[in-house]
């Protein structure tokens, strides 16, 4: 089973892409992961997980969310085992567009661990990110919600302060800074400042060539990490 590594890139089309369009970008990201050696996650709608897993080799397929359900009752809910069986090795949790209660978030992180699924957990402030880090996810995505989709990146001090704060609470948690990240230069900057990884939605999908934007971002992350090291 894959483990969360530093550095990484998350390609997150949300629900803007599905079916064949989702697969096309996933295949492009797969090539980039192979060429650069960078750990790349690809999120997709639940119904596309198996198709993308069966047609890629290098990306980590990431479910958009799930519930702390166990096999049995739960009609209409999202069973973790079904996502894992379909090919998801990671899961996004607590995104601003699909927030969870603290109790459900903690329970779902535990369920993911039982299935060896990587957890990427969102938080909209440093305070919330520190609380989330105490739940021991693999990756904490600390992003000011008001910057999502704006193309406006948080100030450098936000990245450095957040990384320091989370490392103090739980040094085993990887820190992702992504809100407003839309260019390769943005990716380079946040990783150079200390983030373990980053990702984007509109910055990739609105590019003249989304596939080429993924490659530019991946190469920038690899470059920044090597220089930082």
């Amino acid at each position: 089973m894959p483990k969360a590594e530093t550095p990484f890139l998350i390609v997150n089309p949300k629900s803007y892409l599905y079916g064949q369009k989702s697969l096309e970008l996933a295949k492009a990201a797969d090539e980039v992961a192979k060429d650069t050696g960078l750990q790349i996650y690809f999120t997709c709608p639940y119904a596309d997980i198996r198709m993308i897993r069966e047609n890629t080799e290098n990306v980590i397929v990431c479910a958009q969310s799930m519930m702390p359900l166990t096999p049995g009752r739960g009609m209409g809910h999202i069973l973790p085992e079904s996502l894992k069986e379909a090919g998801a090795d990671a899961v996004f949790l607590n995104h601003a567009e699909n927030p969870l209660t603290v109790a459900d978030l903690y329970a779902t992180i535990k369920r993911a661990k039982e299935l060896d699924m990587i957890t990427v957990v969102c938080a909209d402030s440093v305070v919330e990110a520190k609380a989330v880090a105490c739940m021991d996810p693999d990756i904490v995505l600390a992003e000011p919600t008001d910057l999502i989709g704006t193309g406006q990146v948080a100030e450098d001090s936000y990245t450095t302060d957040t990384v320091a704060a989370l490392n103090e609470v739980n040094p085993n948690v990887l820190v992702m800074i992504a809100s407003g990240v839309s260019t390769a230069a943005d990716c380079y900057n946040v990783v150079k400042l200390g983030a373990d990884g980053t990702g984007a939605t509109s910055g990739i999908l609105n590019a003249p060539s989304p596939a080429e934007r993924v490659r530019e971002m991946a190469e920038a992350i690899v470059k920044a990490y090597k220089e930082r090291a």
Side-chain angles (χ1 to χ4, degrees), residues 9-177:
L9 170 67
I10 297 184
V11 180
N12 182 28
K14 297 183 179 175
S15 292
Y16 292 102
L17 298 184
Y18 55 89
Q20 190 61 32
K21 292 291 187 182
S22 183
L23 178 59
E24 288 173 7
L25 186 57
K27 285 183 173 181
D30 199 56
E31 280 296 311
V32 174
K34 178 182 178 181
D35 293 344
T36 63
L38 182 68
Q39 187 170 72
I40 297 181
Y41 298 77
F42 190 89
T43 69
C44 62
Y46 305 120
D48 293 340
I49 288 173
R50 186 178 297 278
M51 174 182 65
I52 289 175
R53 176 70 288 153
E54 291 178 349
N55 288 280
T56 57
E57 297 178 358
N58 305 290
V59 294
I60 295 176
V61 181
C62 185
Q64 294 181 352
S65 188
M66 68 184 194
M67 298 173 180
L69 199 64
T70 55
R73 291 177 179 268
M75 180 72 175
H77 295 278
I78 306 164
L79 178 67
E81 277 83 355
S82 69
L83 300 180
K84 180 71 174 181
E85 184 76 15
D89 283 317
V91 61
F92 243 93
L93 297 172
N94 202 45
H95 191 274
E97 296 169 14
N98 189 13
L100 301 176
T101 65
V102 172
D104 278 348
L105 178 58
Y106 184 54
T108 306
I109 291 171
K110 288 177 64 177
R111 290 288 291 122
K113 287 180 182 294
E114 292 168 5
L115 295 172
D116 290 323
M117 294 176 73
I118 295 169
T119 47
V120 183
V121 182
C122 302
D124 67 4
S125 66
V126 176
V127 171
E128 184 176 344
K130 289 167 70 175
V132 166
C134 293
M135 300 183 193
D136 204 32
D138 295 290
I139 298 169
V140 175
L141 169 48
E143 56 178 8
T145 303
D146 58 353
L147 293 183
I148 295 175
T150 65
Q152 178 184 345
V153 187
E155 294 180 0
D156 289 358
S157 59
Y158 177 83
T159 297
T160 54
D161 291 350
T162 301
V163 170
L166 295 189
N167 284 342
E168 185 176 343
V169 171
N170 186 346
N172 296 319
V173 166
L174 301 186
V175 183
M176 176 179 175
I177 304 292

